[in-house]
Amino acid sequence: MQFMLLFSRQGKLRLQKWYVPLSDKEKKKITRELVQTVLARKPKMCSFLEWRDLKIVYKRYASLYFCCAIEDQDNELITLEIIHRYVELLDKYFGSVCELDIIFNFEKAYFILDEFLLGGEVQETSKKNVLKAIEQADLLQEVSYPSLD
Amino acid sequence: MTVVECSSYQSTVVGVGDTAVDLDVPVCIQVAWHLQSHGAAFGTFPWAGKSKEAEIKRINKELANIRSKFKGDKALDGYSKKKYVCKLLFIFLLGHDIDFGHMEAVNLLSSNRYTEKQIGYLFISVLVNSNSELIRLINNAIKNDLASRNPTFMGLALHCIANVGSREMAEAFAGEIPKILVAGDTMDSVKQSAALCLLRLYRTSPDLVPMGDWTSRVVHLLNDQHLGVVTAATSLITTLAQKNPEEFKTSVSLAVSRLSRIVTSASTDLQDYTYYFVPAPWLSVKLLRLLQCYPPPEDPAVRGRLTECLETILNKAQEPPKSKKVQHSNAKNAVLFEAISLIIHHDSEPNLLVRACNQLGQFLQHRETNLRYLALESMCTLASSEFSHEAVKTHIDTVINALKTERDVSVRQRAADLLYAMCDRSNAQQIVAEMLSYLETADYSIREEIVLKVAILAEKYAVDYTWYVDTILNLIRIAGDYVSEEVWYRVIQIVINRDDVQGYAAKTVFEALQAPACHENLVKVGGYILGEFGNLVAGDPRSSPLIQFNLLHSKFHLCSVPTRALLLSTYIKFVNLFPEVKATIQDVLRSDSQLRNADVELQQRAVEYLRLSSIASTDILATVLEEMPPFPERESSILAKLKKKKGPSTVTDLEETKRERNVDVNGGPEPAPASASAVSTPSPSADLLGLGAAPPAPAGPPPSGGGLLVDVFSDSASAVAPLAPGSEDNFARFVCKNNGVLFENQLLQIGLKSEFRQNLGRMFIFYGNKTSTQFLNFTPTLICSDALQSNLNLQTKPVDPTVDGGAQVQQVVNIECVSDFTEAPVLNIQFRYGGTFQNVSVKLPITLNKFFQPTEMASQDFFQRWKQLSSPQQEVQNIFKAKHPMDTEITKAKIIGFGSALLEEVDPNPANFVGAGIIHTKTTQIGCLLRLEPNLQAQMYRLTLRTSKETVSQRLCELLSEQF
């Protein structure tokens, strides 16, 4: 996977994850172009489209579009389920996740994504294992270390 | 992050910029399509719905605040630092630029508090900055965390490396991570991160990841008990195996047995790795991808087991679904499609191929749009396999139906692609007819592509050229605006080259022109064809010369300038063909609207044609206005156009257009050689490689004042100068040609002329003194590294040490290729010019491919040999971006210039190029096959070399890759 973008129906970018090195300018250009393309598509249309030399796989959940760019040999359907599993993880963690959760707890959304996908590849598909890792980290946060500073 | 902090964003950093709609609608699955808006958001977030300006104002205020905190005298505690770094991140993610805070984030990395460290790492991962001083600090912090033995800290550090993946990180950690990955006491979760972290580094900097003992231990991770570890390791192994197939060969049997265990497991066996009743779908897909790096397993037992797996997957597709959820069917079908990809990749089991095809056939009528789309896409690749081509063809009616009824244009596009792929002589008439009728209602976005496809198929499979002519005229009638020049040039080329169709073409265009409103492209084709072959239908009183002329001239005033120019040429051709209409035509040419036309081209044509018609004798007219000679047979430029069409519109457009004009001069409307006004277009093929013209002088450094001074001091030094700038580029330019200018600066020009036969060659080097002053102590030296010396024998005699101003000296180098080689010799030239010492080095373009001898072979032979050379070390593949505009003719010329034979009609995909030849060395001869697959849309190529020797494949692949 080359990158994953989450954006709202209004075209506001909510989360971006790039697995290939690109300049900020290029990232912005890609985002603008893709948001426009995907938002223009009608509901019952196919979830895949060709874009430049990549394949775009996207799915809408409520107000949010989840959009992944994969390479020519990558599997579209399994990518669709990557998106779904990520939504399930967010949902389980936040409890009925909504766009605001992702806006204001963006760091959690990133941490969960890093446990699930790393370097553009699936790292851990077990929902239990991913959430266990995140919960352990949350526990660590609540432990009060003796102040060092 | 605590709740308190979250709300602090809401009150301090404001303006998400949305008009508070849907923000708090659960994204969750159960209500996925539930889309009512929650006005409550306005109450909770008073800033919501404010203008963009207000948002920017608030954010600037906040940024100023954070900046002052960071710069303040009072040292911030960890908590505040974290808070502000987190705010910066938040602001960045809202789409604003952030140019400070990096140092504070780096400081957080070394905090002992998990939450501070975590935010520090997140900031670094999101706002990567290759600021060198910081990178050192970041790497240091990462190093400490990796050594901490605390799995949570190690995880954070590994995630950061995988997210940033820069070269500096690869330099620092590529050696360390394999150790973590295979160490016995590493925790599973750390292993997973380490595997993918290494994968990311390998993608950025493959040269920095050392292969070694660890590779075999990584392969054995395929057997690991923890499926998460297996999943991560499979990705890593797949990527490594693509580049180092030999090293990872043992992964094949391990992957097969793992896959077999998964597909035969009961749906509950794998616990949390079962996804909607499908056992480990992600891992299955990855294992199937890994197997696509290799040919079918040689070991019959492994092969049998794999076939069983694939059959099981195909069988499962026929079983009733275990759940109605779309996730179940998606996961199941993801595995199925990947299995089909593997079957197509192996292309060796007719039984499986046909089953795959039938399965896809079922999907063609599935109610899920996604599945129909994927089935059409997969079938496209199946259509090119000889085993399944016929099976694919049986679905023609369904595909045609898809083209007509699909509601999503991207699906219709796939259907059109598949029809194009499954077309052969037996169904061409039907497919072309369907595409033509689809064209009447097709989306504007894909019309031009359909036009090109129809034009190509009609030409390729025309048995009867009257059908071809009809088809193209229909194309113009239905979609005239989308018929590009290539298409109508091509129909004219074909009519001129085939005298059996000329009379029919003249009759048909004459009839088509009767329509009251016809497309300008039809006027062009009609004008050209009647100008050449109008005499063939002039016997019929209904299409007498005068009627033909009046018909064309009735369209004249509605046409654009280029078309009118073409028609004027038709008229002068008529003067020759039909003396009886000469007076009428002269009247037209003489009229003010022609002779005094504001357009220079039209005016000039009118003046010259009128003059020509009045002074030239019949004989001269007949000679000057003779029928066009046949065009040289060459591949249709329409094909190139189609490929280009599918590509993104890039900046090269201008160049493309310019070149197209040249390339297509053959088809251009220039029937009258006498027309002095004809734009002089260079012959399209003469200059493909720039052979005619000397390459532009490389931007060698002019001996500027400063440089000269330095050179005076370095006089006695006989050290070899570093390679002249541009030397690499020039070197690459000689890979496909033998003559030209190798180097030029203000003083010296070096030209080359060389010839090669079998393993021997001779190179003439010409040194030209461009100044009026003598060069003294002129000493060219050939330098070969030790490695090169044993493989390449160079012999030459010293040249005269004095080169007069304006003179040229010549040096002959005799070359013998002893064994295959990679490096190139360096030519160093030292001399005195005026009072200064000059020292120039250039790479001498003696490359392995010079010892190529082309070999012609038939398709069957080619593929037989291709399969014989299928072991991984014999094949080298490179996928790369096109550096030059992708043009079929130029590509062909380059492959021929490279030295191999260009084999036509061998590759089932006509867009691809294949070549064959033998490299001659003194010790051995090496057979080489090559295949170049352009992807116009992506502006990429895939080049595959197969030879019996790995180093040869490698070197030839490097050399040729640089050419496109």
Side-chain angles (χ1 to χ4, degrees):
Chain A
M1 187 183 298
Q2 297 221 340
F3 56 85
M4 182 191 253
L5 303 175
L6 264 66
F7 51 87
S8 70
R9 275 202 310 161
Q10 288 75 29
K12 269 271 171 187
L13 191 59
R14 293 305 180 207
L15 184 142
Q16 45 177 323
K17 192 80 193 180
W18 305 86
Y19 298 111
V20 284
L22 289 168
S23 69
D24 284 349
K25 206 174 139 201
E26 183 70 8
K27 287 179 187 171
K28 281 188 178 155
K29 192 170 160 236
I30 291 175
T31 308
R32 211 177 323 119
E33 226 178 291
L34 266 183
V35 167
Q36 227 170 34
T37 313
V38 170
L39 287 180
R41 290 178 61 86
K42 297 193 190 88
K44 290 273 167 175
M45 280 186 168
C46 155
S47 311
F48 319 124
L49 52 121
E50 283 187 336
W51 181 80
R52 299 197 188 172
D53 55 339
L54 298 174
K55 299 195 283 198
I56 302 297
V57 176
Y58 73 93
K59 184 156 180 173
R60 178 178 162 175
Y61 288 91
S63 62
L64 271 188
Y65 284 87
F66 290 70
C67 175
C68 297
I70 55 174
E71 279 153 67
D72 191 40
Q73 316 89 338
D74 290 339
N75 189 310
E76 290 99 335
L77 284 174
I78 207 74
T79 309
L80 210 48
E81 294 318 299
I82 286 180
I83 293 177
H84 188 79
R85 173 67 17 134
Y86 183 46
V87 172
E88 283 184 348
L89 288 167
L90 292 172
D91 201 53
K92 186 100 182 182
Y93 181 80
F94 288 111
S96 285
V97 64
C98 69
E99 194 178 337
L100 278 180
D101 292 320
I102 294 170
I103 296 173
F104 291 117
N105 298 293
F106 68 90
E107 77 286 10
K108 292 289 181 225
Y110 277 92
F111 296 148
I112 295 174
L113 188 57
D114 273 353
E115 290 293 336
F116 176 44
L117 290 180
L118 193 61
E121 301 284 340
V122 175
Q123 174 172 223
E124 178 55 84
T125 66
S126 154
K127 207 156 49 169
K128 267 188 217 150
N129 289 354
V130 172
L131 290 172
K132 205 166 69 193
I134 297 291
E135 277 155 18
Q136 267 171 4
D138 284 350
L139 277 179
L140 278 180
Q141 297 195 0
E142 279 158 30
V143 173
S144 48
Y145 287 88
S147 177
L148 295 172
D149 35 35
Chain B
M1 184 75 26
T2 65
V3 178
V4 182
E5 277 161 346
C6 290
S7 62
S8 75
Y9 299 136
Q10 290 158 23
S11 53
T12 53
V13 179
V14 294
V16 178
D18 255 314
T19 45
V21 202
D22 296 338
L23 287 176
D24 53 353
V25 173
V27 168
C28 80
I29 304 86
Q30 287 75 19
V31 288
W33 304 107
H34 179 74
L35 283 169
Q36 52 178 288
S37 80
H38 280 227
F42 275 110
T44 324
F45 309 105
W47 41 264
K50 284 209 179 130
S51 69
K52 184 95 188 149
E53 288 73 30
E55 177 185 321
I56 290 174
K57 211 170 148 193
R58 287 302 299 268
I59 279 176
N60 284 337
K61 199 173 151 201
E62 185 62 31
L63 285 176
N65 176 39
I66 299 173
R67 209 187 291 264
S68 75
K69 295 279 189 222
F70 284 165
K71 282 201 175 149
D73 306 330
K74 218 170 59 188
L76 290 175
D77 61 14
Y79 173 82
S80 315
K81 217 181 270 172
K82 182 197 75 179
K83 186 172 83 183
Y84 293 123
V85 166
C86 197
K87 280 186 182 188
L88 283 180
L89 203 45
F90 183 77
I91 293 171
F92 174 78
L93 293 169
L94 284 179
H96 301 268
D97 292 330
I98 296 295
D99 55 2
F100 68 102
H102 301 80
M103 199 53 185
E104 284 74 14
V106 172
N107 286 340
L108 288 178
L109 297 185
S110 44
S111 164
N112 268 345
R113 286 167 194 266
Y114 178 76
T115 135
E116 289 164 17
K117 196 186 270 294
Q118 196 185 24
I119 291 296
Y121 272 124
L122 182 60
F123 186 95
I124 303 295
S125 302
V126 174
L127 278 128
V128 206
N129 195 314
S130 51
N131 193 327
S132 57
E133 26 192 320
L134 284 182
I135 280 288
R136 215 170 41 82
L137 293 172
I138 295 169
N139 281 355
N140 227 359
I142 291 177
K143 200 165 281 169
N144 289 336
D145 281 336
L146 285 183
S148 72
R149 328 272 312 151
N150 173 337
T152 323
F153 287 6
M154 287 173 89
L156 279 180
L158 289 169
H159 289 180
C160 182
I161 301 173
N163 282 326
V164 177
S166 67
R167 200 165 167 84
E168 289 88 349
M169 287 196 173
E171 276 164 3
F173 303 111
E176 180 64 20
I177 294 171
K179 291 181 202 150
I180 298 179
L181 177 57
V182 298
D185 56 347
T186 306
M187 295 231 332
D188 288 334
S189 65
V190 175
K191 264 188 206 165
Q192 287 166 276
S193 299
L196 295 178
C197 190
L198 190 57
L199 165 59
R200 173 72 197 262
L201 294 184
Y202 186 78
R203 281 190 182 142
T204 347
S205 325
D207 53 312
L208 294 179
V209 178
M211 295 293 138
D213 292 345
W214 61 272
T215 54
S216 59
R217 303 183 58 184
V218 164
V219 171
H220 280 95
L221 290 177
L222 288 173
N223 266 337
D224 203 280
Q225 288 184 332
H226 189 288
L227 280 189
V229 172
V230 187
T231 307
T234 310
S235 292
L236 174 65
I237 294 167
T238 305
T239 305
L240 294 173
Q242 279 163 351
K243 286 274 171 64
N244 319 279
E246 194 55 24
E247 196 127 3
F248 290 88
K249 219 168 50 182
T250 46
S251 64
V252 172
S253 59
L254 291 176
V256 169
S257 62
R258 188 92 225 188
L259 182 68
S260 163
R261 271 178 281 158
I262 294 172
V263 297
T264 52
S265 67
S267 57
T268 49
D269 287 357
L270 305 178
Q271 293 159 354
D272 212 26
Y273 289 91
T274 295
Y275 179 81
Y276 291 86
F277 303 103
V278 183
W282 283 281
L283 179 53
S284 307
V285 166
K286 284 184 180 205
L287 290 167
L288 288 161
R289 277 278 288 134
L290 169 58
L291 292 171
Q292 287 172 61
C293 301
Y294 291 92
E298 278 160 26
D299 180 343
V302 178
R303 192 170 175 153
R305 200 157 179 206
L306 177 58
T307 306
E308 259 170 46
C309 285
L310 295 170
E311 276 168 352
T312 311
I313 295 171
L314 285 168
N315 292 342
K316 279 190 179 173
Q318 300 301 324
E319 289 169 11
K322 293 198 175 73
S323 154
K324 285 204 171 114
K325 290 249 166 64
V326 68
Q327 283 75 31
H328 170 69
S329 81
N330 278 351
K332 189 168 144 185
N333 291 326
V335 178
L336 176 62
F337 273 104
E338 205 59 54
I340 291 177
S341 293
L342 179 62
I343 292 170
I344 297 174
H345 168 80
H346 284 171
D347 197 15
S348 60
E349 300 264 1
N351 174 37
L352 287 176
L353 280 161
V354 171
R355 281 194 68 185
C357 185
N358 293 340
Q359 182 59 55
L360 294 176
Q362 286 182 18
F363 284 150
L364 286 181
Q365 316 212 34
H366 203 279
R367 63 189 164 77
E368 278 273 324
T369 313
N370 287 345
L371 287 181
R372 296 197 303 274
Y373 177 97
L374 294 176
L376 289 165
E377 187 185 58
S378 279
M379 261 201 187
C380 257
T381 36
L382 264 183
S384 56
S385 162
E386 52 176 320
F387 298 117
S388 49
H389 183 80
E390 287 304 314
V392 171
K393 274 167 62 186
T394 58
H395 298 287
I396 185 165
D397 292 331
T398 320
V399 183
I400 286 171
N401 197 40
L403 187 65
K404 287 177 175 163
T405 57
E406 282 291 348
R407 297 224 301 259
D408 184 346
V409 58
S410 45
V411 186
R412 288 197 295 272
Q413 170 94 53
R414 290 280 146 277
D417 285 350
L418 178 53
L419 281 180
Y420 181 76
M422 67 162 73
C423 192
D424 60 20
R425 214 169 281 282
S426 73
N427 56 18
Q429 300 240 356
Q430 186 189 5
I431 286 178
V432 165
E434 290 296 345
M435 283 192 170
L436 271 176
S437 82
Y438 171 61
L439 201 49
E440 310 230 17
T441 53
D443 311 72
Y444 295 111
S445 57
I446 60 171
R447 277 195 188 185
E448 185 177 1
E449 198 187 315
I450 303 264
V451 166
L452 294 171
K453 284 185 164 143
V454 169
I456 291 166
L457 293 178
E459 179 186 337
K460 196 166 166 193
Y461 298 114
V463 185
D464 170 4
Y465 277 86
T466 61
W467 172 70
Y468 170 74
V469 170
D470 286 341
T471 304
I472 302 296
L473 291 182
N474 263 330
L475 268 185
I476 296 176
R477 185 179 57 75
I478 296 167
D481 284 344
Y482 298 89
V483 172
S484 57
E485 288 181 337
E486 287 83 356
V487 173
W488 74 262
Y489 286 180
R490 190 69 186 162
V491 68
I492 285 171
Q493 287 178 10
I494 286 177
V495 169
I496 285 178
N497 288 11
R498 307 194 61 96
D499 45 19
D500 54 333
V501 77
Q502 289 160 355
Y504 180 80
K507 179 166 162 284
T508 317
V509 293
F510 177 79
E511 280 162 8
L513 283 168
Q514 304 288 331
C518 51
H519 195 273
E520 190 164 331
N521 278 337
L522 180 64
V523 179
K524 288 179 184 163
V525 175
Y528 200 109
I529 288 181
L530 291 179
E532 293 294 318
F533 309 112
N535 56 329
L536 299 177
V537 293
D540 188 328
R542 285 167 299 178
S543 51
S544 72
L546 190 62
I547 294 178
Q548 284 186 37
F549 172 73
N550 285 337
L551 180 61
L552 285 175
H553 200 54
S554 69
K555 317 278 182 196
F556 187 90
H557 301 283
L558 299 171
C559 290
S560 64
V561 169
T563 309
R564 279 192 266 163
L566 182 148
L567 285 178
L568 288 180
S569 299
T570 304
Y571 297 169
I572 191 70
K573 286 243 164 180
F574 274 4
V575 169
N576 175 44
L577 287 180
F578 314 123
E580 62 265 44
V581 295
K582 179 172 169 180
T584 319
I585 288 172
Q586 281 179 328
D587 283 345
V588 169
L589 292 176
R590 206 177 284 122
S591 71
D592 275 359
S593 62
Q594 308 300 344
L595 277 189
R596 292 171 197 276
N597 195 295
D599 186 89
V600 182
E601 176 71 27
L602 292 180
Q603 193 188 90
Q604 192 166 359
R605 284 197 191 205
V607 170
E608 286 174 4
Y609 290 164
L610 180 61
R611 194 82 189 120
L612 180 69
S613 69
S614 4
I615 60 166
S617 70
T618 336
D619 281 354
I620 292 177
L621 271 185
T623 313
V624 171
L625 302 172
E626 201 183 6
E627 189 180 301
M628 287 294 284
F631 290 93
E633 276 302 338
R634 52 200 184 101
E635 204 211 328
S636 158
S637 53
I638 307 179
L639 214 54
K641 172 84 179 179
L642 174 65
K643 286 179 237 154
K644 200 179 82 195
K645 173 71 193 150
K646 298 207 86 177
S649 60
T650 55
V651 278
T652 56
D653 274 358
L654 189 70
E655 267 175 61
E656 293 278 347
T657 337
K658 222 164 65 194
R659 205 190 50 250
E660 266 164 34
R661 266 221 319 271
N662 292 350
V663 168
D664 286 311
V665 65
N666 276 345
E670 288 303 335
S675 159
S677 64
V679 187
S680 120
T681 16
S683 151
S685 53
D687 212 17
L688 283 182
L689 292 175
L691 285 173
S704 65
L708 281 177
L709 269 180
V710 173
D711 285 345
V712 172
F713 294 119
S714 64
D715 189 346
S716 57
S718 61
V720 176
L723 286 182
S727 164
E728 273 311 333
D729 286 355
N730 252 3
F731 177 81
R733 221 171 284 156
F734 276 86
V735 167
C736 292
K737 65 171 187 173
N738 288 329
N739 307 328
V741 175
L742 178 65
F743 170 82
E744 184 157 29
N745 65 11
Q746 293 188 349
L747 309 177
L748 175 71
Q749 186 193 54
I750 305 175
L752 292 185
K753 216 172 174 176
S754 42
E755 49 192 13
F756 294 88
R757 243 190 103 225
Q758 303 209 326
N759 70 321
L760 299 176
R762 180 176 296 150
M763 180 177 269
F764 296 87
I765 309 178
F766 301 92
Y767 305 98
N769 181 345
K770 291 170 67 181
T771 70
S772 48
T773 317
Q774 263 188 348
F775 292 165
L776 297 170
N777 300 342
F778 188 84
T779 345
T781 323
L782 290 169
I783 303 160
C784 292
S785 70
D786 292 346
L788 184 58
Q789 226 156 24
S790 51
N791 297 331
L792 189 70
N793 234 331
L794 299 181
Q795 283 181 348
T796 186
K797 291 194 181 119
V799 298
D800 193 330
T802 314
V803 185
D804 287 329
Q808 193 181 56
V809 295
Q810 175 189 326
Q811 185 179 28
V812 187
V813 183
N814 288 314
I815 307 160
E816 187 190 32
C817 174
V818 181
S819 176
D820 69 284
F821 61 96
T822 302
E823 287 170 76
V826 171
L827 174 64
N828 173 250
I829 302 123
Q830 306 186 348
F831 59 95
R832 285 182 148 280
Y833 164 69
T836 65
F837 174 74
Q838 302 288 327
N839 190 352
V840 173
S841 283
V842 286
K843 264 168 106 175
L844 205 56
I846 301 174
T847 47
L848 184 56
N849 65 299
K850 300 293 178 194
F851 306 96
F852 237 137
Q853 200 179 341
T855 319
E856 291 293 342
M857 58 178 81
S859 176
Q860 207 183 355
D861 294 344
F862 181 87
F863 281 109
Q864 196 185 348
R865 283 171 213 216
W866 184 261
K867 283 192 179 136
Q868 281 165 1
L869 293 170
S870 64
S871 88
Q873 71 273 22
Q874 292 169 330
E875 183 192 270
V876 172
Q877 193 169 72
N878 188 13
I879 297 171
F880 54 93
K881 277 252 175 245
K883 288 192 285 280
H884 305 286
M886 299 173 80
D887 180 275
T888 310
E889 295 306 319
I890 295 177
T891 306
K892 283 184 173 177
K894 282 184 177 167
I895 291 174
I896 292 168
F898 191 64
S900 79
L902 179 71
L903 304 177
E904 304 274 8
E905 292 177 7
V906 164
D907 199 305
N909 179 351
N912 294 343
F913 305 91
V914 294
I918 294 169
I919 295 279
H920 288 264
T921 73
K922 190 179 175 190
T923 45
T924 175
Q925 299 187 354
I926 303 135
C928 310
L929 303 176
L930 69 89
R931 184 182 201 194
L932 179 71
E933 299 160 271
N935 178 340
L936 238 101
Q937 182 172 22
Q939 290 286 303
M940 308 263 294
Y941 287 101
R942 176 162 69 191
L943 175 65
T944 314
L945 257 295
R946 286 192 179 181
T947 78
S948 45
K949 199 166 173 191
E950 188 173 14
T951 47
V952 173
S953 304
Q954 192 69 47
R955 181 58 180 156
L956 292 179
C957 186
E958 281 166 21
L959 285 168
L960 193 54
S961 297
E962 286 303 308
Q963 298 300 312
F964 301 104

